[in-house]
Amino acid sequence: MKSEKNSGAQASTGDHYVKSAEKTLSVLLAFTADNPRLSVTQVAEATHLTRAAARRFLLTLVDLGYLTTDGTQFSLTPRVLDIGAGFLAGLDLPKVAQPHLNRLANDLDESATLSILDEDDIVYIARATAPRLHTVTVNLGNRLPAWATSMGRILVSELPPEDRQAFLDRTEISTFTDRTVSSRDELGKELERIREQGWCLVSQELDEGLRGLAVPVRRGDTTLAAVNVSLHTSHLRGLSIEDDVVPRLQAVAVSIAEDFGGRSQ
């Protein structure tokens, strides 16, 4: 952790160095995957600022939209992603994922997709159509309710507990087939099970005869997206979902993450 006495950086960078910029960044960087919600006191301790100074920086960042607060604790907002948007513009996740999805679709003869979570929906950002489905139109940007899809459930299961609960509290369950989950309580239990096993199978809950299987694409503690295959009940050719298909998806997810951001240590 960087302390206040680390003023050697200022001496080495010259008179132009703005200490308040360093302090602002240190406040933002205090929020981590292990500590996503912090109080004023915790931020002051992490940044070696006084409690009064930490509070001023935090409230300024709330005013600017980079933090949110419930009056006691603070957390980052999606706007912090704007800071790295220029850099990330050169790292095109769908483009990186496409060849991997193509190989997966050819391997299984099933459609493969990459999706992200946007509030309560999943959004398709890349897709490879099964070779046997030559006339199917690829509709990138299409949305589906996250609660009803394998991609959505795996992504929601990766959220912090309070965010998962908030998602459940505002979800309205609709019946698509007689296999669709029937209540928020049932969905909550399913999300817990998915989180523990690390993959999600939604079997014939959206459409009769169709199963969706999804795994997360992770970089360290960050979940980037979900990889999914649509498994028609008549096309598995004796493959076991858990023993054969899940490992293939997990390998593809690892490959996408490594190509997107470098091999994990």
Side-chain angles (χ1 to χ4, degrees):
M1 183 71 65
K2 189 181 275 189
S3 70
E4 286 269 276
K5 65 182 179 180
N6 188 12
S7 57
Q10 182 170 357
S12 65
T13 52
D15 293 338
H16 65 272
Y17 192 84
V18 180
K19 193 69 175 177
S20 60
E22 178 192 342
K23 292 177 180 178
T24 301
L25 288 173
S26 72
V27 169
L28 287 173
L29 292 172
F31 295 88
T32 66
D34 292 330
N35 298 290
R37 296 171 62 82
L38 298 172
S39 66
V40 172
T41 299
Q42 289 172 316
V43 170
E45 291 174 352
T47 58
H48 300 278
L49 294 169
T50 65
R51 192 176 184 282
R55 182 174 181 276
R56 289 197 300 273
F57 278 101
L58 287 166
L59 291 177
T60 299
L61 288 165
V62 169
D63 289 343
L64 292 171
Y66 293 102
L67 294 177
T68 186
T69 182
D70 61 6
T72 303
Q73 292 190 309
F74 295 78
S75 58
L76 299 175
T77 72
R79 189 168 186 179
V80 298
L81 298 175
D82 294 346
I83 296 171
F87 173 74
L88 292 174
L91 297 175
D92 192 332
L93 181 58
K95 186 180 297 183
V96 166
Q98 194 62 55
H100 297 285
L101 296 179
N102 292 343
R103 284 191 290 272
L104 182 63
N106 278 305
D107 182 29
L108 295 175
D109 197 22
E110 299 286 2
S111 294
T113 63
L114 188 75
S115 301
I116 58 172
L117 186 66
D118 183 23
E119 297 183 349
D120 295 341
D121 296 331
I122 58 100
V123 181
Y124 290 102
I125 61 172
R127 184 177 179 184
T129 304
R132 59 187 166 77
L133 301 176
H134 297 296
T135 60
V136 173
T137 302
V138 176
N139 294 315
L140 301 183
N142 278 9
R143 291 171 173 266
L144 287 173
W147 71 267
T149 66
S150 61
M151 304 85 84
R153 289 183 191 178
I154 195 70
L155 291 170
V156 172
S157 77
E158 299 270 302
L159 295 174
E162 62 273 19
D163 292 338
R164 287 203 312 276
Q165 187 58 53
F167 174 87
L168 284 170
D169 290 343
R170 62 178 180 264
T171 294
E172 297 294 334
I173 303 295
S174 302
T175 300
F176 295 101
T177 74
D178 58 7
R179 296 178 175 83
T180 305
V181 293
S182 59
S183 66
R184 293 175 182 172
D185 182 61
E186 183 182 355
L187 179 61
K189 292 176 181 178
E190 177 68 4
L191 290 174
E192 288 293 339
R193 187 181 65 81
I194 291 165
R195 186 176 179 87
E196 290 179 5
Q197 72 181 12
W199 54 274
C200 174
L201 177 68
V202 173
S203 182
Q204 303 186 80
E205 292 191 40
L206 271 175
D207 292 294
E208 293 289 348
L210 182 64
R211 291 177 286 187
L213 179 67
V215 301
V217 178
R218 299 191 187 100
R219 286 291 304 163
D221 295 328
T222 302
T223 301
L224 302 174
V227 174
N228 157 273
V229 287
S230 298
L231 301 171
H232 289 266
T233 55
S234 60
H235 295 135
L236 276 180
R237 303 186 303 277
L239 294 177
S240 162
I241 289 177
E242 185 168 358
D243 296 334
D244 299 317
V245 185
V246 169
R248 297 188 198 190
L249 260 69
Q250 291 172 331
V252 166
V254 169
S255 295
I256 292 172
E258 289 179 349
D259 283 359
F260 181 65
R263 185 172 296 276
S264 302
Q265 298 298 317

